Amino acid sequence: MAAQLDYHTIRTIFERFQAQNPAPEGELDHTNVYTLLVAVALSAQSTDIGVNRATAELFKIADTPEKMLALGEEGVIEHIKTIGLYRNKAKNVIKMAQMLVDDFGGEVPNSRAALELLPGVGRKTANVVLNMWWDYPAQAVDTHIERIGNRTGICPGKNVVAVERAIEDHIPVDFQKHAHLWMILHGRYVCKARKPLCGACVIRDLCPYEDKTL
């Protein structure tokens, strides 16, 4: 775990991320806040590409909790059986739809606590929805962010909550809306777990990671 970087270095890092990609976007396809919520929940232990492939037809016929309930668990399974843990995920999708209808009038709530009450929704999923749909500077820490946060010293921490707190505490406020997306994309395509592409990295000179690749 690298030591926490200082304020000026972190600001320079995010200035470079911003210059490279001024308006980063998540890679999960969705048409409204409900389909975003379902897509993020389905993405656990699955790739965004795989989820997009599975939901392309699903969201055409079930883009509201009511329509998802009408489709039923077996109907959901038929659409998502190409992704990991599909049976459990289908069960949660139906349970989530039922709770949204029963407890929230069919609307997706916009508080973290309320979102985390939904089956299959944890803190990361809730934060993604809050950030991407309601523009709240919530930080959805995944394995990419946890890895580069500790590798670079941007936001070191021993667990996802500690990394999330480090982001909130140390990354300048004017970068926090897009912070987690910049780091996810950087971790997914450049600062990979194996063989990071350090030669193509825009923050290579600021990164203390010792095992840099050529």
Side-chain angles (χ1 to χ4, degrees):
M1 182 188 298
Q4 176 70 57
L5 292 178
D6 64 85
Y7 171 83
H8 295 290
T9 302
I10 291 175
R11 172 164 280 283
T12 301
I13 285 172
F14 281 90
E15 285 173 349
R16 292 184 188 180
F17 284 160
Q18 185 178 57
Q20 185 181 52
N21 187 0
E25 296 182 353
E27 297 181 321
L28 286 170
D29 295 337
H30 58 281
T31 58
N32 56 28
V33 64
Y34 173 66
T35 55
L36 173 62
L37 175 64
V38 172
V40 178
L42 292 176
S43 71
Q45 299 182 354
S46 301
T47 65
D48 288 0
I49 292 173
V51 172
N52 289 341
R53 189 180 299 119
T55 59
E57 295 302 317
L58 174 64
F59 290 160
K60 288 180 182 178
I61 60 175
D63 61 354
T64 68
E66 294 83 358
K67 291 178 183 177
M68 196 68 75
L69 287 173
L71 183 62
E73 187 175 326
E74 290 302 316
V76 174
I77 286 174
E78 282 303 306
H79 287 281
I80 70 168
K81 60 186 178 182
T82 55
I83 65 176
L85 305 175
Y86 67 91
R87 290 192 182 278
N88 190 57
K89 288 178 178 179
K91 186 176 296 183
N92 281 334
V93 165
I94 293 301
K95 287 181 177 178
M96 178 200 300
Q98 191 68 62
M99 183 176 285
L100 287 171
V101 170
D102 292 344
D103 299 343
F104 298 98
E107 300 293 327
V108 176
N110 63 351
S111 82
R112 184 185 290 119
L115 285 167
E116 288 190 69
L117 291 174
L118 300 170
V121 177
R123 187 177 184 89
K124 175 198 163 191
T125 296
N127 281 347
V128 170
V129 174
L130 291 172
N131 182 282
M132 289 182 60
W133 194 262
W134 283 291
D135 293 330
Y136 182 75
Q139 308 302 331
V141 177
D142 68 354
T143 55
H144 295 301
I145 293 180
E146 190 171 8
R147 179 177 68 254
I148 73 167
N150 284 293
R151 183 179 279 178
T152 65
I154 293 173
C155 48
K158 293 182 178 180
N159 54 58
V160 295
V161 175
V163 172
E164 182 181 327
R165 178 60 59 84
I167 294 173
E168 294 171 347
D169 289 348
H170 296 284
I171 293 176
V173 170
D174 46 320
F175 296 116
Q176 291 212 6
K177 180 178 182 293
H178 296 311
H180 90 275
L181 277 174
W182 278 318
M183 287 190 285
I184 285 173
L185 296 173
H186 187 66
R188 184 174 292 168
Y189 297 111
V190 181
C191 195
K192 302 178 181 182
R194 297 180 181 180
K195 298 182 180 179
L197 306 180
C198 298
C201 179
V202 296
I203 63 168
R204 182 178 181 178
D205 58 312
L206 302 174
C207 174
Y209 183 55
E210 294 180 355
D211 297 330
K212 287 188 174 72
T213 59
L214 295 176

